[in-house]
Amino acid sequence: MVRKKGVYERYIKRPQDLLLSSVALLLLSPILLIVAVLVRMKLGGPVLFSQERPGLNDKIFKMYKFRTMTDERDSNGELLSDSIRLTSFGKLLRSTSLDELPELWNIVRGDMALIGPRPLLVQYLSLYNEHQKRRHEVRPGLTGYAQVNGRNAISWEQKFNLDVNYVDQISFSGDWRIIFFTIKKVFIREGINSETSATMEYFQGSKVKS
């Protein structure tokens, strides 16, 4: 069954995303430059972290973020844990969401939207149940419904339920509410980490398969 799209999603959402992300890139270019220089000085190169992520209809794209971790490795050449490689500077970038700013370019390209389910790892695609797969019926977002309702401090199941809830209720007013709540969350730095890890734990699949 094909999901029915409303007028906002069909005709307004993408042009609005393109306009807002282009303006944001222009206005924030000095901040982007400063952060890039600081990342280079404190963490080394490359300044940008890129990784393949699944987008609309599971199409794979390369997502860009500012680097927040070092490349420290153990004696066997294996990367150390996130908690060790995530420096205080990296934590600051994440808590202020400055590391996410390069994703504005992904929005301009059409890989992402301003609002939508966050793009997760490609390896998760085979782990989703039918309900969770529905998060890919829309472009992934720079921020989303789950991000303003707990972000990394809620469980994977809660996060996916919020994602699908967003997919079913996309609206102009809803998107702008998420934008305003996101700005609030950034300022109070809430829900950045999970309760048990420096970053969100890997998704292992759900007990309920559908």
Side-chain angles (χ1 to χ4, degrees), residues 66-109:
F66 279 122
R67 182 180 180 186
T68 58
M69 293 186 183
T70 68
D71 285 330
E72 293 178 85
R73 298 174 183 268
D74 60 23
S75 57
N76 296 318
E78 298 292 330
L79 285 171
L80 297 178
S81 66
D82 290 352
S83 61
I84 295 176
R85 295 189 297 118
L86 182 60
T87 65
S88 56
F89 175 67
K91 290 178 182 177
L92 176 63
L93 290 182
R94 291 190 178 200
S95 67
T96 56
S97 295
L98 288 171
D99 64 315
E100 309 280 3
L101 290 181
E103 291 169 45
L104 290 168
W105 176 240
N106 286 118
I107 299 174
V108 171
R109 285 168 47 90

Side-chain angles (χ1 to χ4, degrees), residues 65 86 94-95 97 99-100 118-120 124 145-156 158-159 162 185 190-202:
K65 301 174 68 172
L86 182 60
R94 291 190 178 200
S95 67
S97 295
D99 64 315
E100 309 280 3
R118 284 293 294 162
L120 301 175
Y124 293 169
Y145 194 38
Q147 278 57 54
V148 298
N149 284 282
R151 197 173 175 180
N152 288 341
I154 59 177
S155 70
W156 281 112
Q158 290 172 308
K159 186 177 296 187
L162 290 169
K185 292 279 184 179
E190 183 179 76
I192 306 300
N193 299 322
S194 72
E195 295 180 353
T196 58
S197 177
T199 55
M200 189 66 185
E201 296 89 350
Y202 283 102

Side-chain angles (χ1 to χ4, degrees), residues 111-153:
D111 302 321
M112 295 176 59
L114 277 174
I115 311 299
R118 284 293 294 162
L120 301 175
L121 299 178
V122 174
Q123 67 201 59
Y124 293 169
L125 286 174
S126 62
L127 301 176
Y128 296 142
N129 60 37
E130 292 303 314
H131 175 71
Q132 293 162 351
K133 287 179 183 178
R134 296 199 55 224
R135 69 192 311 276
H136 293 292
E137 292 179 8
V138 298
R139 286 185 177 87
L142 179 65
T143 184
Y145 194 38
Q147 278 57 54
V148 298
N149 284 282
R151 197 173 175 180
N152 288 341

Side-chain angles (χ1 to χ4, degrees), residues 145-188:
Y145 194 38
Q147 278 57 54
V148 298
N149 284 282
R151 197 173 175 180
N152 288 341
I154 59 177
S155 70
W156 281 112
E157 281 70 23
Q158 290 172 308
K159 186 177 296 187
F160 293 144
N161 286 337
L162 290 169
D163 287 342
V164 175
N165 185 272
Y166 171 78
V167 170
D168 288 334
Q169 300 185 49
I170 295 176
S171 69
F172 176 83
S173 60
D175 274 6
W176 278 97
R177 278 197 298 270
I178 291 172
I179 289 173
F180 290 131
F181 277 118
T182 297
I183 294 172
K184 178 183 176 182
K185 292 279 184 179
V186 167
F187 278 109
I188 63 177

Side-chain angles (χ1 to χ4, degrees), residues 38-52:
L38 289 173
V39 169
R40 179 67 181 181
M41 291 173 58
K42 294 180 177 293
L43 299 176
V47 168
L48 293 179
F49 167 79
S50 64
Q51 189 176 57
E52 289 190 335

